[in-house]
Amino acid sequence: MNILFIVVDDLRPVLGCYGDKLVKSPNIDQLASHSVVFSNAYAQQAVCAPSRVSFLTGRRPDTTRLYDFYSYWRVHAGNYSTMPQYFKENGYMTFSVGKVFHPGVSSNYSDDYPYSWSIPPFHPSTEKYENFKTCRGKDGKLYANLVCPVDVTEMPNGTLPDIQSTEEAIRLLNAVKTNKQKFFLAVGYHKPHIPLRYPQEFLKLYPLENITLAPDPWVPEKLPSVAYNPWTDIRQRDDVEALNVSFPYGPLPDDFQRQIRQSYYAAVSYLDTQVGLLLNALDDVGLSNNTIVVFTADHGWSLGEHGEWAKYSNFDVATRVPLMFYVPGLTTSSVNQGERVFPYLDPFSHILGVVPQGRSKKVVELVSLFPTLAELAGLQVPPACPETSFHVALCTEGASIARYFNVSEEKVEEEKGGCDDAYRCFNEESVALSQYPRPADTPQWNSDKPKLKDIRIMGYSMRAVDYRYTVWVGFNPNSFSADFEDVHAGELYMVETDPNQDYNIYNNTSHGVFFKKILGFLKH
């Protein structure tokens, strides 16, 4: 089996296949209709570089020691093998297109080439204009805005980065078809990462009068101040700066909140067309019958919930991601050579009411991607890491979730309490662990993205099917150690009665059992 690994920047599961009634995403929905879709998948840290290094190495941020953007794990933590490296060492051609690793120090300024990739990674030439003043304001001048629908013909080189990435990925698919070599092709799309810069015609899909505010656009009364992220990155965009919003809590004016939400959805539909063209090309080259397709994101993005924007928190809106696996012959009946699985669907004319091939409600983590893909491809699954694994090149801190693929058996498994990783599933409970660092107990200018040397508190969060428990504890950046006897604050949300996580009951609930449980998981 070949692997097509699609990772999207800052995409929360606002997709038709996840039950969103507003967003038009027919191509991703079509992929879902042939896939197993995980409803409860979570990133290990809601910011780009730490999340990507975590799932590409199969290690948690406490093991990669990357909580910011400024260190390379092979130098700073341990010489850990990556998922693409493992496939490369097992005879695959491995290719990186667009944003797969976070560029810069955290991937050695090379996207971890040559360890992870067979040829140098491709970056779109127009990537460098992402933060330039390319958004035309009402006065006709150009700005570096957050909300940035554009006329693509006016853009540098007459294109956008994600369009270039799709074209390169399609070129590579045609090349591998010719030389008949098995491949691992990772394609990283930029949108809907800010700036929300996308072809302006996608706005037509989302008339402003149809756009609501978040269901809970206020800062929750009992939210500890350490848990709040003050969305400093969007404050620096020209259009947000002009609003002169107070720091740290805002809020943004209602009409502008609607515009951000409108542009986020429009950027998702633009992304959907790129995914559609890529999957259509997989059909064109006749490889849909022997290529596993994985679709996910590095983390989510708050759209005004809890009075917050962007990522940088432990809430579901920031940590929860779409995750689906298309495995020919497993998630869908065998595909005949030449049969079209992924015809391109135009979001302006296709409204696809799809039901995913299988939906798993199991709580899963992105750190499980590496062992899962190895198992699905028939490779030896990397061993579980020992408690301390800085010296171990190949091991994983996530467990393969391939055992959840037969969704009809999920209930049977629950009855038996069947689970490979006994500790993680004691009480028949699967959980996801996320974490987020803070420089102080109250929001300040570097609260969203503290550098390692400034981290003083770490928020460890445990998400089970029916609750989210977070404990904020003292952290020493010199020894990379958390002090669980130094508890600064806590959060506890019961999902069934409080699905949006607005009512923190930590202070009026006995939470010793949760504390013991999270300590056990972290230690394990």
Side-chain angles (χ1 to χ4, degrees), residues 480-494:
F480 299 92
S481 57
D483 179 0
F484 284 88
E485 288 175 10
D486 177 22
V487 175
H488 288 234
E491 298 168 78
L492 179 60
Y493 306 99
M494 304 315 285

Side-chain angles (χ1 to χ4, degrees), residues 75-239:
V75 172
H76 194 70
N79 188 23
Y80 312 146
S81 294
T82 68
M83 173 165 56
Q85 178 182 354
Y86 189 59
F87 276 86
K88 182 173 168 235
E89 288 165 356
N90 278 280
Y92 282 71
M93 287 289 287
T94 56
F95 307 103
S96 173
V97 172
K99 185 176 175 182
V100 180
F101 279 101
H102 190 86
V105 185
S106 63
S107 55
N108 203 30
Y109 297 100
S110 65
D111 292 356
D112 198 44
Y113 175 79
Y115 294 101
S116 287
W117 311 108
S118 303
I119 61 172
F122 170 86
H123 282 278
S125 61
T126 60
E127 203 174 81
K128 58 179 173 285
Y129 304 114
E130 272 292 90
N131 292 311
F132 280 38
K133 296 186 182 234
T134 57
C135 321
R136 201 167 291 289
K138 290 200 171 86
D139 57 6
K141 291 183 184 155
L142 292 175
Y143 295 93
N145 285 344
L146 170 64
V147 172
C148 186
V150 296
D151 177 345
V152 177
T153 61
E154 289 182 0
M155 290 300 101
N157 302 358
T159 187
L160 291 170
D162 286 344
I163 295 171
Q164 290 185 294
S165 291
T166 301
E167 289 164 353
E168 173 64 11
I170 292 172
R171 191 189 70 74
L172 285 169
L173 284 175
N174 280 291
V176 291
K177 176 200 176 185
T178 311
N179 67 20
K180 295 188 166 57
Q181 189 157 19
K182 59 185 178 176
F183 64 85
F184 179 107
L185 168 59
V187 182
Y189 285 114
H190 284 80
K191 293 305 116 183
H193 191 287
I194 69 165
L196 298 169
R197 191 168 74 111
Y198 55 88
Q200 60 197 15
E201 56 270 24
F202 287 93
L203 270 180
K204 291 185 200 129
L205 293 170
Y206 303 100
L208 207 48
E209 61 268 22
N210 294 353
I211 307 297
T212 60
L213 296 178
D216 51 350
W218 58 84
V219 179
E221 195 185 324
K222 293 186 175 172
L223 182 70
S225 54
V226 70
Y228 185 80
N229 76 282
W231 34 280
T232 40
D233 58 349
I234 77 163
R235 291 171 189 272
Q236 290 153 11
R237 313 302 303 181
D238 291 347
D239 49 354

